[in-house]
């Protein structure tokens, strides 16, 4: 099997990239809007493949071909610390850029990360909307789980919601 090639959207300082690369995958394109995060990201990875620009301004056709879309889309609209405004806040609509890119590029899989608050936001309606779009509009499988970093020996209690899906709905995933 050939090496998995992934893109890293809303890359932050590269936490998702680090995990995927340690598993043997290759990051071929990254995007981050926050310039301070971008400085740290480039210091961490040094290959300067990071595009520092608003994802809304990037055409999907300008993104190289990849197998897996990764993204930790902004969590402030769903977090305890944020105002929980979801679609009424610009950052809350960035999920739809993920949808736009998946529609055009049709990767084999996606891996998304967010705060656990997304799961229950607006009495679960926000999460249900995301799940419906991924399954019905995009045709991907959808698996999700809230995971606590402390369970894996990390020195923090930071529950995160992970969402994974495959274009081939017959792929078993647990």
């Amino acid at each position: 099997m050939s090496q998995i090639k992934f893109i890293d959207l809303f890359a932050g300082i590269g936490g998702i990239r680090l995990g995927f690369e340690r598993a043997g995958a290759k990051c071929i394109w990254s995007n981050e809007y926050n310039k301070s995060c971008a400085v740290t990201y480039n210091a961490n990875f040094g290959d300067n493949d990071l595009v520092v620009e608003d994802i809304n301004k990037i055409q999907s056709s300008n993104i190289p071909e990849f197998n897996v879309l990764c993204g930790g889309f902004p969590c402030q609209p769903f977090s305890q610390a944020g105002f929980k405004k979801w679609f009424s806040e610009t950052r809350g609509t960035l999920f739809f850029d993920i949808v736009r890119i998946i529609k055009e590029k049709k990767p084999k899989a996606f891996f998304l990360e967010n705060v656990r608050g997304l799961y229950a936001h607006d009495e679960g309606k926000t999460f249900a909307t995301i799940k419906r779009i991924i399954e019905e509009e995009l045709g991907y499988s959808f698996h999700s789980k809230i995971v606590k970093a402390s369970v894996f020996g990390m020195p923090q209690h930071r529950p995160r919601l992970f969402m994974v899906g495959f274009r081939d709905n017959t792929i078993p995933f647990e």
Side-chain angles (χ1 to χ4, degrees):
M1 183 168 110
S2 62
Q3 183 178 40
I4 294 172
K5 295 177 184 171
F6 70 97
I7 63 170
D8 192 10
L9 302 178
F10 316 104
I13 63 170
I16 291 174
R17 177 178 175 161
L18 184 62
F20 269 76
E21 285 185 343
R22 285 187 177 172
K26 178 175 176 52
C27 184
I28 60 164
W29 190 86
S30 306
N31 173 252
E32 174 56 52
Y33 181 70
N34 182 294
K35 289 175 179 42
S36 296
C37 288
V39 168
T40 303
Y41 189 96
N42 281 328
N44 285 339
F45 299 102
D47 56 10
N48 296 314
D49 70 346
L50 180 67
V51 175
V52 183
E53 190 171 350
D54 182 345
I55 193 71
N56 290 293
K57 296 178 182 176
I58 297 172
Q59 293 184 8
S60 302
S61 59
N62 291 335
I63 299 172
E65 296 303 314
F66 58 93
N67 308 107
V68 180
L69 179 144
C70 296
F73 59 103
C75 61
Q76 295 88 341
F78 324 108
S79 71
Q80 281 300 111
F83 295 111
K84 300 181 181 180
K85 292 184 177 180
W86 179 225
F87 290 131
S88 62
E89 181 182 344
T90 303
R91 293 176 296 185
T93 63
L94 294 173
F95 166 73
F96 296 104
D97 287 293
I98 291 170
V99 171
R100 169 178 60 87
I101 294 166
I102 289 174
K103 273 184 183 175
E104 182 166 329
K105 298 305 233 178
K106 297 181 179 24
K108 291 181 179 182
F110 67 83
F111 174 86
L112 305 176
E113 175 269 337
N114 212 287
V115 294
R116 70 176 167 184
L118 174 60
Y119 187 75
H121 182 265
D122 194 16
E123 300 176 348
K125 293 176 190 166
T126 302
F127 183 76
T129 298
I130 289 171
K131 185 176 190 297
R132 180 188 55 75
I133 289 169
I134 288 172
E135 290 179 332
E136 295 175 20
E137 291 183 26
L138 299 177
Y140 282 68
S141 63
F142 185 84
H143 309 275
S144 64
K145 185 170 185 165
I146 295 173
V147 178
K148 294 179 185 174
S150 58
V151 171
F152 297 95
M154 300 302 293
Q156 62 176 310
H157 177 76
R158 190 174 185 204
R160 305 303 282 185
L161 172 62
F162 294 101
M163 297 163 276
V164 175
F166 301 92
R167 191 174 61 205
D168 178 353
N169 288 317
T170 64
I171 293 175
F173 182 78
E174 188 173 324

